[in-house]
């Protein structure tokens, strides 16, 4: 898994490529908590379009990011969810809790 | 020996070649051949004592075959090292007939145990994952209960949550509906279908419940006295003309058609204590 | 029998591997479980062990006095009690109390887990039952049994002092002084070496009987009984071996 940061206005976009699994999700968690808790970036957008596979530790890391954003009053959004990722979020009843957009433009609007 | 089948077709998840398993000098499985494709739900059917549970136990590495091959993710379980077996087992989940939850731990600790043992994830991440898994099996909010405080159906669900905790590629179920009332059992079947849909897992179920089998199966095998005597899709199995299979599907009580002489022999044999 | 002892040795060496070698090979040791086992094996055994060894010390003093009186040597009763307790009865009685409390509990706990498919579940989760279940018990035992033995020695001497003060013209302080001066370091050390060996034996027997449990609830009862009988027998055998070893080989 690779995470590349881009800055668009006040927002930080995290472009993630590869698999988010048991070995890589701690890195994702670290980056999310750094952005949302320490740097207090007002808007964090996680771009998952190039993610082939996300396991439940990855989902849990996103949940931790979401919680941190609620605690600090920042905005946290996901874009580019695959069909599989959507189904996993659906089954865990998370689909309505996350701010989910189809593309970056929508998320930035 | 390389596995020609797994190389030729990467969609095959498990393949068995002439698998034989014995307890002591009694052979239980007499040469089983079968194949399971990735993402498929296979139901293993059979009466009690048919060897279906032994087959399942062998597939998860709890029994060593006396001969034959079990190819699973490119490795032959029959001749695998303990470390390699553990590596494969991290990608397997097994839901036991009794649930097999650890009574001294809460439901949440049970579900999180493999993660705590095998990963370096933060406790907070493991807790969220545990709650997610419990939510997925319909047990949200029960993480602080002890197994003894749960009903039979809830224990089964908790066991499924634990089997799911490492996001397995293959999920095994031993008699998922045994000992449950029909409504709760139907709930477990529904759960298996949902999991299959969401995670595209390969699922292997051992059962003798026909209704449940026809609901969840993509493929079925019927095992009798240690050999597979019929296999195919549910529709093919329904049309199978073999008397033993028909008997099982039509729920006819077993008439025990032993050979007459064998029967007479058995009745009149002079009594000998089995010496060991 | 030889095969049985071999299996015990194998189990012990596996448990020792996970306790002392595993942590350096990326298999972290879970000290929390060992700690709770140590509480169960050690601390909770204190009341009953104290009472038993106090009585044993008293009995030793009375029985010893019966013989010693014939030679007009009743003042040697303190020496007799102190040496018999630390070299022999302290470790042995402690072991027997621990067998009754914990050796049987190990077999029952692991046996119940076997019957409930929990051991199989551990294996399918790629968790070694030896590492998960046996190693914490092993650590708790080899740590707590020597501690309990020291306590048992002390309680035994205390029991002897009751007789000494009441019937042999000792003051309490004199009796304690006599006991301490009768003991050599080697008496205490041989007792403690024995107690570590007893601890390994009890863990190995309790756990392997538990793991060998067949099917059904009644087999748990069978394994528990077998664990107790076998442990007592093997502890006595180990005691004999080490006592002779100290006597014939070390002269101590």
């Amino acid at each position: 898994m690779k995470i590349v940061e881009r800055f668009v206005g006040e927002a930080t976009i995290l472009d993630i490529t590869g698999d988010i699994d048991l070995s890589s999700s701690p890195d994702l968690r670290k980056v999310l908590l750094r952005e949302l808790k320490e740097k207090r970036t007002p808007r964090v957008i996680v771009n998952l379009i190039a993610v082939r596979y996300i396991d439940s530790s990855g989902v849990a890391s996103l949940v931790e990011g979401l919680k941190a954003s609620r605690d600090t009053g920042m905005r946290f959004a996901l874009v580019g969810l695959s069909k599989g990722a959507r189904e996993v979020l659906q089954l865990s009843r998370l689909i309505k809790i996350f701010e989910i957009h189809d593309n970056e433009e929508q998320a930035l609007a | 020996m390389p596995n020609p089948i797994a190389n030729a077709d990467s969609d095959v998840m498990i393949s068995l070649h002439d698998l034989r398993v014995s307890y002591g000098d009694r052979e239980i499985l007499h040469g089983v051949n079968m194949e399971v494709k990735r993402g498929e739900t296979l139901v293993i059917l059979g009466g009690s004592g048919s060897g279906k549970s032994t087959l399942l136990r062998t597939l998860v590495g709890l029994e060593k075959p006396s001969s034959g091959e079990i190819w699973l993710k490119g490795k032959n379980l029959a001749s695998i090292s303990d470390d390699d077996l553990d590596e494969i087992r991290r990608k397997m989940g097994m839901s036991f007939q009794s649930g097999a939850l650890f009574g001294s731990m809460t439901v949440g600790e049970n579900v999180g145990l493999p993660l705590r043992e095998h990963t370096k994830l933060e406790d907070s991440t493991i807790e969220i994952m545990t709650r997610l898994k419990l939510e997925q099996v319909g047990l949200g909010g029960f993480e602080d209960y002890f197994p003894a405080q749960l009903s039979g159906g809830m224990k089964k669900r908790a066991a499924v949550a634990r089997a799911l905790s490492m996001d397995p590629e293959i999920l095994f179920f031993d008699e998922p509906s045994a000992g449950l009332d029909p409504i709760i059992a139907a709930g477990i079947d529904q759960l298996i279908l949902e999991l299959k849909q969401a995670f595209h897992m390969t699922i292997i179920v051992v059962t003798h419940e026909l209704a449940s089998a026809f609901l969840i199966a993509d493929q079925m095998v019927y095992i009798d006295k240690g050999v597979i005597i019929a296999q195919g899709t549910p529709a093919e199995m329904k049309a199978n003309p073999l008397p033993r299979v028909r008997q099982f599907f039509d729920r006819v009580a077993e008439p025990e058609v032993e050979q007459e002489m064998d029967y007479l022999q058995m009745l009149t044999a002079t009594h000998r204590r089995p010496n060991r | 029998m030889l095969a049985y002892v071999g299996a015990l040795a194998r189990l012990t060496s596996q448990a020792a591997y996970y306790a002392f070698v595993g942590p350096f090979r990326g298999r972290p040791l879970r000290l929390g479980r060992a700690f709770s086992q140590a509480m169960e094996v050690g601390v909770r055994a204190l009341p009953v062990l104290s009472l038993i060894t106090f009585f044993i010390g008293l009995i030793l003093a009375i029985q010893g006095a019966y013989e010693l009186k014939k030679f007009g040597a009743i003042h040697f009763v303190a020496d007799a009690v102190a040496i018999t307790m630390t070299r022999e009865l302290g470790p042995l009685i402690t072991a027997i109390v621990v067998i009754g409390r914990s050796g049987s509990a190990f077999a029952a706990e692991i046996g119940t887990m076997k019957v409930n498919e929990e051991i199989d579940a551990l294996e399918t989760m790629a968790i070694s039952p030896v590492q998960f279940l046996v190693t914490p018990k092993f650590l708790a035992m080899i740590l707590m049994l020597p501690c309990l033995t020291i306590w048992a020695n002390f309680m035994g001497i205390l029991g002897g002092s009751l007789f000494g003060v009441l019937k042999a013209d000792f003051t309490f302080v004199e009796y304690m002084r006599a006991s301490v001066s009768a003991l050599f370091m080697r008496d205490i050390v041989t007792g403690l070496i024995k107690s570590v060996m007893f601890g390994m034996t009890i863990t190995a027997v309790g756990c392997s009987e538990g793991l060998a449990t067949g099917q059904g609830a009644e087999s748990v009862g069978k394994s528990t009984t077998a664990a107790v009988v076998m442990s007592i027998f093997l502890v006595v055998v180990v005691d004999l071996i080490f006592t002779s070893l100290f006597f014939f080989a070390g002269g101590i």
Side-chain angles (χ1 to χ4, degrees), chain B residues 56-71:
Chain B
L56 188 71
R57 289 176 61 83
T58 313
L59 287 176
V60 297
L62 288 171
E63 306 293 344
K64 280 269 172 221
S66 40
S67 72
E69 297 167 17
I70 311 165
W71 288 96

Side-chain angles (χ1 to χ4, degrees), chain A:
Chain A
M1 183 197 70
K2 241 175 59 190
I3 304 178
V4 179
E5 292 184 53
R6 276 187 294 138
F7 306 98
V8 181
E10 55 167 26
T12 300
I13 301 175
L14 303 172
D15 292 314
I16 305 179
T17 24
D19 294 350
I20 308 178
D21 55 22
L22 291 171
S23 60
S24 59
S25 63
D27 296 336
L28 172 64
R29 174 181 182 274
K30 221 181 295 164
V31 173
L32 288 178
L33 294 185
R34 190 185 67 214
E35 289 297 326
L36 290 157
K37 267 192 164 154
E38 288 167 34
K39 289 195 188 166
R40 305 218 162 205
T41 311
R43 191 184 286 198
V44 175
I45 298 164
V46 180
N47 177 10
L48 297 167
I49 198 127
V51 171
R52 285 179 306 164
Y53 170 77
I54 178 165
D55 76 354
S56 51
S57 70
V59 174
S61 303
L62 292 177
V63 170
E64 278 187 271
L66 182 65
K67 175 74 167 51
S69 77
R70 295 270 167 94
D71 289 347
T72 53
M74 310 292 139
R75 269 182 75 185
F76 180 72
L78 308 177
V79 300
L81 259 67
S82 67
K83 191 166 158 280
R86 261 176 206 280
E87 275 166 359
V88 173
L89 292 184
Q90 183 81 50
L91 189 64
S92 331
R93 298 198 298 147
L94 286 167
I95 203 100
K96 293 207 171 86
I97 298 173
F98 278 107
E99 184 185 333
I100 298 171
H101 298 286
D102 293 335
N103 53 48
E104 227 171 276
E105 290 70 43
Q106 269 183 30
L108 285 167

Side-chain angles (χ1 to χ4, degrees), chain B residues 20 24 27 48 65 106 121 125 150 199 213 227:
Chain B
R20 288 166 190 275
E27 193 173 82
S48 357
T106 64
L121 297 171
T125 311
L150 301 184
F199 298 108
V227 281

Side-chain angles (χ1 to χ4, degrees), chain C residues 87-101:
Chain C
R87 286 191 73 107
E88 184 54 50
L89 282 180
L92 190 65
I93 297 293
T94 307
I96 287 172
V97 169
V98 169
I99 289 169
R101 286 190 78 258

